[in-house]
Every structure is written in C-alpha cells, then in structure tokens.
Amino acid sequence: MEPTVAAFDRHALRATRSRRDGWRDTWRGYRTAARLGWRVEANWADPILFLTYSVAKPLAGALILVVMLEVVSGGGADEYRAFIVVGSALWSFVIAGLSGLAMSVLDDRERYRMLKYLYISPTSLAVLLLGRGTARFAMGGIGAAVTLAVGVLFLGVPFDPAVMDVPLLLASMALGLSGVIALGVVFAAVVLQTRQDSWSYPEAVAGALFLLVGAVFPLAVLPMPVQALGLVTPLTWWVAAVREALFPDAVSSIAGPGSLYTRLTGVTEPDRWVLLICLLATTVLVTLGAMLTFRVSERRAKDRGLIDQTTGT
Amino acid sequence: MSLPSVPAIETRGLRRVYKTKPKPIVALDGIDLEVAPGEFFGLLGPNGAGKTTLIKILTTLLLPTTGTARVFGFDVARETRQIRRLMNIVAGGEQSGYGLLQVREQLWMFSQFYGLGTREGWQRVDELIEAVGLDEQRNQKVSSLSTGQRQKMNFARGLLNDPWVFFLDEPTLGLDVSAARSVRELVRTWKDALPGRTILLTTHYMAEAEELCERIAIVDHGRILAIGTPDELKHRVQSESIFRLEVDRLERGAGALAGLPGVVSASTATDGTTPAPDGVQTLNLILDNDTALGGVVTALGSMGAQIVALRKSEPSLEDVFVELVGRGFDEDGAGSNGHHEAVAR
Ligand SMILES: Nc1ncnc2c1ncn2[C@@H]1O[C@H](COP(=O)(O)OP(=O)(O)OP(=O)(O)O)[C@@H](O)[C@H]1O
Ligand SMILES: [Mg+2]
C-alpha cells in the first residue's frame, strides 16, 4: 500500500499550533479523557457483570454493617441505621474518587503504556487524569444512589422528603465532590512517584480514611489525635452535612460525648452553617494542597524519568 | 513558503545523569547538536549510547540535568506547551495501546488531545489510516493488531498533529523486511510532501540510516563522536584501505586477524549478503595502508585458511562506525548478521 502524499500535504503546518491553549481545548481534552476512561474501565463485554459489580460492592458493604448493627444493638436503632447507610453509600463514591485518578496513572503507565503519549500531547496531565478518573467516579455515584435507595426501601432507613434539607444537600455535595477530587489528585501525585507495583495502595489508603472520617462510626470513639486528623479532612464534614441534610435525626458523627469537637467548642450538635463553613474551609485547604503537591510531583517525575517507566517486563 | 530561521533542534552542553545506585549513570555527556528545519537527521550508536535519553528530553518527557535543549527555539524545560504542539514521536518495539478500543477510536481520542475538532478529528484519522495502510484494520480492536499493524497505528498517532519535528526511535525495530520497508517509505513520503518537516531518527540499521538520513551523528557514551553527511563520514576512513575478503577454513574468524601489524580492524561483514556455503566467511578488513595486505595474506596461509576472493572496497557507514565506536553491533549482540537483513534490499 503506497502512502498517499495528498493526505500528508493537506493539513500542512496547521494554524492551530500557534494558537494558545484555550478553555475549549481544555474542555475537549477533559471530555475525551472521560470518554476514554469510560470505554476502558467499564466492562462493556459483559454489562450485567459490570453493573452488578459496581452496585453490589457498596450495597454488600452497607448490608454487612446494618446486619452487624442489628446483632450488636438487638434491633431498633433507626438513627444508627441511617447513619451507616449514608456513610457506606457515600463511601463507594469516595473510594472511586480517591483511587480513580491514581489508578489511571498506574493503568496508563504500566498496563497500556500510553501515559507518555498522553503526557506529550498539549492537553495537561492534570486535565487528562481528571477526565480518566471521571468514569470511575460516575460508577461510584451509581453505586451510592442504589445503596441509598435500597436502604430507604428495604432496610427501614427513615427517609422523609419533607424534612430533607435540599439547599444543604446540594451545597455539601458540590463541596464534598471537590474535596474528594482534590484528595484524588493528591493520591495520583503520590502514585506517580512510586516505582514498585502499587496497585493496592489507593484502595488501601481510601479504606483507612473510611475509618477516620465518621463514615461508619462517630469520631468520638477514636483517640484524640486521630480525631484531630479527621476534623481537618473535608470528607468528615461532607459525610456529616449530607447526613444532616437527608436524615436530620441521624446521630452526629462529629460531636457528642467524648468527641474532640465537643470538648473544644462545648457544642454537642453542630448546625448546618458550621458544617458548611468547615466543609468549605477544609475543601479549599485540601484543594490548594493538591495543586501544589501535583505540581511538585509532576516536576519530580519528569526529572527522574518516571513518566514512562514501567516496572513490568 | 519560507522556513523558520531558528534551528529545528538545538542543544548546548546537554547533560543527563540518572541518579541510580550504586553509582549514577551519565547518559548524555555534553551534547552540542544543531539540526536545521527540513533535515533528515540520524543518530547512530551502540546500545546504551544515550539516543533514547536525548529523544526523551527533546519530547519533554525528561528534564536535562544541565545544559539547554530547544525545539524550534522553544526551551524543553519551560516551553513545553509550544513544543508539544509541534512535535511528535514514534518508538519501535513497543506494546502500547488501549487494547479494548478500536483503532479508529483510539486515534480519534488522540486527535482530540491535540485540539482537533470532533469532525475534523474523524476526518484526519480516516485520512491517516488510509495513508499508513490500515484500512482493513480500522475497526479492529487494538489488542488484535500484529506488531507491524500496531506500528502503523503508532505512526498514524504520531502524524495526527502534523509535527514539524518527528522523532523516530528505532521505528522499524521488530518489523519484517516488507513492513520495515513500508515504514521507511511512509516516512520519506510524509517528509517529502512538504519542505520544513524535520526528522530525527535513531536506528541500529546502518543501511536504514544511509538510505534515509541526510546527516548522521555517531554517538557513544553520551557523546557525539562524529557528525556529517554519510559521504563525509565515509571520507574519514578513506585514508585507510578497506578490503573485502572471502576466506575458507579460517577457524577463529575475524578475531584471528585483529592483532596483525597494520590491521585497524577486522570484522564479519554484516551487510546482508547471503552466507556462502561450506564455512566460507566474508570479512571486512580495515588496514593502515595497502602494503599491510601482504602480511595478512601470509598470516592466513600459515593458519591454513584459503582465500576465496579478495576485493578492495569503498568504505561503508559500518566501517566508520566500527572505527569510531571500536566495536560492531554484532559483537555485543546476536553475533550473526540476521538482524541486519531487515534492511537488505
Ligand atoms: N530511567 C533510567 N534510569 C536509569 N538509567 C537509565 C534510565 N534510562 C536509561 N538509562 C541508562 O542511560 C544510558 C543511556 O540509555 P538510552 O536508553 O538513552 O540508550 P540508547 O542509546 O537509546 O540505547 P539502545 O540502543 O539500547 O536503545 C544507559 O546506560 C541506560 O542504562
Ligand atoms: Mg534506545
């Protein structure tokens, strides 16, 4: 097959390359990376299996916890049931968000060996990774929604649309998502530096965080220094705010007897404004930290030649 | 159209040290290089010479330790955005790709990362698929492609943004004779279609370098040992005498002649000639001058070897390489002329 000269000639020295990188290009890069992630992550060969997996995992987690709760408390603890269902529903989301970006670094570098080709394109690495992570995020979102629905329909979680605080829910979801993404960027920055096989890191760390932020049990049961760590994490405030928005009667994960928060402020039940302001503050903090970390990490990776290194054969 | 007046590639005192344990590796040790727009430039060097490292720096994958490198005047460390728009790279011997995607789809996604419009992207991809000869595989999964087909896809990706500088790192590695030839054909056609398109090629195949490159740099241990057109390089060894010797019953091969007086080097010829039967070997001999030949002939006689044919020959690029680097490619590699056959015509 003889190559055709015409195809090479027509696009000669395109004007686009002297153009500055605009928002449109960034948006296009993000969208395409999201599409790439969706096509690569989702097991389209077997959609049933894929859906079952992305929904069954968070659902099973919630069920196990609810059953444990029933056994331990001898039934009847409605507020705790709500507490746990919200916690584990959000958590499938958090795991997906936290580990999604890091996983795509590993996948693209080690498995597909395409990271270097993505990297040398004009679209910035951060935008590409955010896009790549979006698919996992969306799948986590589906899992979370299903878990919540099952909790309300079958697990006797008391849900009353009339008492639901919609503005609080929307505001805290928006902030919480930013916080999750920012932490995801930090994870990706760390994984970019690893030399060894680090496939299990992101999920492991996300799992550990689960215990810190009041998702399954209130912070009050943790030692004080660990509680302090929990209080500077936006996830803690996010989980609490969403719980407050959906189930105002649910137990507070932040305050209460034995909690650092109550000891510091004397308040036993933070109100919605406190939750939102703390969520905002911690999110801004983590986002700034993430941007800095990522910049340093990318620079270091480029200095050490880590962008195209593969640990396998 | 007037060509840009800045060099396509310019490096000054470029050094790259990998901080490895137990001791650091100096991959590039002060490279000064200038490639003009429109040049087809080759880098020849043994394994580990630093060729890939240089390409990684120029393609913004790796930072220099010290020194500067510029692509069309843009600094690799600070002006990466600009460089990324105007260059691309294809490397050989790779198994990269999103296996689940179709060829056309993967290429389209890359067109989007380069800022082409949605429809424009599909159009461009279809043109390139045709140009590289992947029509039949366009809707195939990437994972199902053969090595040669994958390399064609790789070329289509590399040409999506119509680079001004195209980096080719051993692009024909692992390809069979005809696939390698069609890749070379493709590269040349693309380049000739427009003045100003610049190519930096690394290869281990002498004939490939000689066939394609207008200028060649021979590198080893991170330094440029010689630079010039293939003819200029060959003139470097013109002052010496080069003979092609077919010899029978020479037990120890080329090594037997290496130490003789007046012999600069003796190596097994690797230019793709079909090996003669019955243990007849073809050797390349570089001598200080013609008179040293007498000693060689005498020595061969005393070793019991029989000269089948003897011919004075023009120096080849390989002769230059052997003289400068001090060893042929074969001596640290396969030890046969098999992998050079890919470029035999
Ligand atoms: N990521 C790395 N870390 C440490 N050392 C490296 C790294 N990459 C390359 N090197 C070393 O740098 C030197 C130059 O390697 P490079 O890959 O540039 O050589 P090359 O000329 O491309 O060789 P080849 O012909 O085998 O492809 C080698 O000694 C190699 O071991
Ligand atoms: Mg190399």
Side-chain angles (χ1 to χ4, degrees):
Chain A
M1 168 96 216
E2 287 298 298
T4 45
V5 182
F8 290 153
D9 224 344
R10 202 165 320 144
H11 291 262
L13 306 179
R14 304 168 47 78
T16 50
R17 64 168 65 95
S18 55
R19 192 180 65 192
R20 292 187 71 87
D21 213 43
W23 279 105
R24 281 176 53 135
D25 283 348
T26 306
W27 173 235
R28 184 181 293 285
Y30 169 80
R31 260 185 1 230
T32 309
R35 177 168 169 168
L36 171 63
W38 188 248
R39 295 280 288 122
V40 172
E41 308 299 348
N43 184 359
W44 297 112
D46 196 344
I48 307 276
L49 184 75
F50 157 63
L51 256 177
T52 317
Y53 181 75
S54 54
V55 170
K57 213 168 132 184
L59 202 55
L63 281 175
I64 291 170
L65 290 170
V66 168
V67 169
M68 271 165 57
L69 177 70
E70 296 298 307
V71 173
V72 171
S73 70
D78 269 0
E79 321 86 66
Y80 264 112
R81 221 177 289 154
F83 184 102
I84 282 175
V85 169
V86 173
S88 36
L90 291 185
W91 210 253
S92 76
F93 210 40
V94 171
I95 298 227
L98 287 187
S99 58
L101 303 194
M103 284 299 195
S104 44
V105 169
L106 291 175
D107 273 346
D108 282 354
R109 186 169 64 187
E110 305 272 340
R111 186 190 300 176
Y112 305 117
R113 310 199 169 191
M114 294 297 276
L115 189 65
K116 64 172 172 176
Y117 294 119
L118 292 174
Y119 188 74
I120 61 155
S121 81
T123 307
S124 86
L125 181 63
V127 169
L128 289 165
L129 291 179
L130 285 173
R132 277 287 268 110
T134 303
R136 283 177 198 263
F137 216 65
M139 288 187 267
I142 296 171
V146 171
T147 308
L148 276 180
V150 169
V152 171
L153 294 176
F154 304 109
L155 298 179
V157 170
F159 176 66
D160 181 358
V163 304
M164 191 165 104
D165 187 341
V166 177
L168 177 61
L169 181 67
L170 294 180
S172 56
M173 280 310 272
L175 285 173
L177 291 191
S178 323
V180 171
I181 292 170
L183 285 172
V185 169
V186 174
F187 274 38
V190 172
V191 162
L192 198 53
Q193 303 299 322
T194 54
R195 283 185 171 276
Q196 277 77 33
D197 227 350
S198 41
W199 296 91
S200 56
Y201 292 7
E203 289 215 353
V205 178
L209 261 182
F210 189 37
L211 304 176
L212 278 191
V213 303
V216 278
F217 47 75
L219 289 187
V221 305
L222 297 169
M224 287 294 169
V226 184
Q227 283 196 47
L229 200 60
L231 288 181
V232 296
T233 313
L235 301 181
T236 310
W237 300 98
W238 177 49
V239 173
V242 170
R243 241 184 226 131
E244 176 73 17
L246 290 178
F247 310 103
D249 292 335
V251 179
S252 168
S253 52
I254 289 169
S259 69
L260 179 63
Y261 181 82
T262 303
R263 193 197 282 186
L264 289 177
T265 62
V267 178
T268 52
E269 179 92 53
D271 69 18
R272 52 195 297 219
W273 288 110
V274 170
L275 292 178
L276 265 186
I277 288 168
C278 290
L279 175 55
L280 178 66
T282 47
T283 302
V284 168
L285 214 67
V286 167
T287 306
L288 292 178
M291 284 160 70
L292 187 69
T293 316
F294 193 80
R295 189 167 296 188
V296 170
S297 169
E298 186 183 335
R299 176 97 196 166
R300 188 172 181 274
K302 206 174 150 184
D303 188 35
R304 310 232 163 163
L306 301 176
I307 287 157
D308 65 334
Q309 65 147 13
T310 48
T311 45
T313 42
Chain B
M1 187 188 321
S2 66
L3 298 180
S5 55
V6 290
I9 297 168
E10 186 185 18
T11 72
R12 290 274 166 265
L14 190 64
R15 234 177 106 79
R16 172 68 214 199
V17 181
Y18 288 105
K19 296 186 195 107
T20 44
K21 284 171 192 147
K23 69 180 209 291
I25 295 172
V26 181
L28 296 178
D29 194 6
I31 299 276
D32 293 307
L33 181 67
E34 205 172 303
V35 177
E39 249 190 309
F40 202 133
F41 193 90
L43 280 178
L44 275 177
N47 293 126
K51 306 179 293 293
T52 301
T53 303
L54 178 59
I55 286 190
K56 281 188 190 174
I57 290 175
L58 292 170
T59 53
T60 74
L61 266 174
L62 188 70
L63 289 170
T65 305
T66 55
T68 57
R70 292 174 176 276
V71 176
F72 277 104
F74 296 115
D75 186 278
V76 292
R78 288 177 290 109
E79 292 162 310
T80 51
R81 272 291 155 84
Q82 290 90 327
I83 293 180
R84 286 169 186 180
R85 285 201 183 286
L86 53 78
M87 63 82 192
N88 217 321
I89 176 178
V90 167
E94 277 194 353
Q95 287 294 317
S96 58
Y98 296 101
L100 281 170
L101 301 185
Q102 290 173 354
V103 172
R104 204 166 164 264
E105 193 181 11
Q106 173 171 313
L107 287 173
W108 177 80
M109 287 178 176
F110 270 88
S111 78
Q112 302 300 291
F113 296 143
Y114 279 94
L116 271 69
T118 310
R119 294 235 327 270
E120 194 188 6
W122 286 118
Q123 218 172 37
R124 179 83 181 127
V125 166
D126 285 337
E127 281 175 4
L128 283 174
I129 281 181
E130 203 178 306
V132 302
L134 267 184
D135 300 79
E136 283 164 32
Q137 289 78 32
R138 67 172 67 211
N139 292 322
Q140 221 163 292
K141 289 240 173 87
V142 170
S143 57
S144 69
L145 297 181
S146 75
T147 309
Q149 291 163 348
R150 209 177 264 251
Q151 193 61 341
K152 287 179 175 177
M153 179 184 70
N154 219 344
F155 264 93
R157 181 196 48 69
L159 292 172
L160 278 170
N161 64 329
D162 237 317
W164 284 4
V165 192
F166 202 12
F167 294 96
L168 302 174
D169 195 1
E170 300 185 43
T172 56
L173 187 70
L175 301 186
D176 70 27
V177 180
S178 87
R181 186 184 301 175
S182 71
V183 159
R184 286 195 298 274
E185 198 58 43
L186 175 74
V187 167
R188 223 194 334 233
T189 311
W190 174 79
K191 179 165 183 323
D192 291 347
L194 204 79
R197 285 178 174 161
T198 313
I199 293 180
L200 182 75
L201 168 91
T202 80
T203 182
H204 283 163
Y205 305 130
M206 296 292 163
E208 185 167 289
E210 197 157 0
E211 178 191 333
L212 293 172
C213 301
E214 291 152 9
R215 270 201 315 149
I216 290 171
I218 294 180
V219 290
D220 194 15
H221 299 298
R223 292 168 195 258
I224 294 178
L225 302 179
I227 191 164
T229 65
D231 279 341
E232 283 167 0
L233 290 175
K234 283 186 238 166
H235 274 126
R236 291 175 61 109
V237 287
Q238 200 89 78
S239 61
E240 288 141 348
S241 305
I242 297 171
F243 291 92
R244 202 173 169 83
L245 181 66
E246 282 174 42
V247 61
D248 196 6
R249 296 199 297 269
L250 180 61
E251 302 272 300
R252 287 165 49 219
L257 303 178
L260 296 175
V263 175
V264 176
S265 85
S267 60
T268 312
T270 55
D271 54 357
T273 36
T274 32
D278 315 330
V280 174
Q281 310 173 42
T282 308
L283 305 181
N284 276 341
L285 270 183
I286 304 180
L287 306 180
D288 275 342
N289 51 55
D290 288 358
T291 50
L293 188 62
V296 172
V297 172
T298 316
L300 282 170
S302 68
M303 287 179 224
Q306 188 184 357
I307 297 174
V308 179
L310 175 63
R311 182 156 52 84
K312 186 160 186 191
S313 69
E314 286 302 301
S316 71
L317 208 49
E318 181 158 344
D319 296 322
V320 184
F321 188 90
V322 168
E323 182 176 293
L324 285 171
V325 177
R327 56 195 150 118
F329 280 127
D330 283 348
E331 285 158 40
D332 54 17
S336 77
N337 55 11
H339 68 286
H340 282 275
E341 258 157 36
V343 283
R345 264 166 294 168

